[in-house]
Amino acid sequence: MLKLAKKIARKILNIPLNIKGKINFAQLKKNDGYCCICEQQTEFIIYNDWLRDYYKCKKCDTIPRNRALANALTKYASNWEKLIVHESSPSGELSKYLKRKCKGYSGSQYFSDVPRGQYKGEFRSEDLSKLTFEDNSIDILITSDVFEHVYEPAKAFKEIARVLKPGGMHIFTMPWYPELKTTVQRTKLSPDGTDEFLMEPIYHGNPIGGGKGSIVTFDWGLDFPDFIFKNGGMNTIIYLEVDRKKGLDGKFLEVFISRKADGK
């Protein structure tokens, strides 16, 4: 049944299959390059026109936003491997890479059933809007496609700024819609703690949860950097690099680098 489901999914995604129902790699577009995550010469393979999720490294299976974040991290913090790095909601090969390269790495997840600051397995229980870390204690905080799911982003950016050291950075990815002059809120929490949908609900996959996944709370627009400055006091750079030799191409490839001012 599982094999049949995968075959149907591949057909829906227009991934070419051979007569045995397996991926026909000979028909896929690909290019040679260097992957900054598995740190090897590799092939980047296009399984589907939606490059964001289907332009993968043959050796480590990472997708463009994973490589974009790692690439920007090295560009804007070349010494990150020697720093205190915390990642919220880690998953996949990017997180394994960060942990492998950085002795000062730690990760946290949002566990509704675990008190904040305590651990469930290898991950610390944290809520971005109510972090338990001390002031000025983290050099770099990383989030990958998290802020489209945060209910109280104003509090979250304030908290991130609080825990970052002076000159520290929040480096992150998320879907960004610069064609929207003003950010749109899609979902909010009702007084009883349930989702109140302001628009048709959209869900994204959740690495630690099942069911429908994580609800999208905001479609972030052109005003996003101003929102961060207003609520966290951090200036934000939006970095975009497209280079197929690095496996960098596709929608929502922007990396955001918010820096806490020195001396704060």
Side-chain angles (χ1 to χ4, degrees), residues 23-24 33 62 73 94 102 112 117 148 171 201 221 245 249 251 253:
I23 295 174
N24 189 339
T62 52
L73 175 62
L94 171 62
C102 180
S112 59
E148 70 271 33
I171 300 180
K245 287 294 183 181
D249 203 354
K251 184 73 171 174
L253 199 62

Side-chain angles (χ1 to χ4, degrees), residues 86 106-134 138 159 162-163:
H86 182 77
S106 63
S108 65
Q109 299 281 2
Y110 178 84
F111 296 119
S112 59
D113 59 338
V114 179
R116 302 294 167 248
Q118 295 187 18
Y119 281 80
K120 182 176 182 179
E122 64 178 303
F123 296 119
R124 180 167 170 153
S125 177
E126 290 290 344
D127 179 344
L128 281 172
S129 63
K130 300 174 184 177
L131 293 170
T132 64
F133 296 104
E134 295 182 359
I138 296 172
E159 278 291 277
R162 177 183 68 78
V163 304

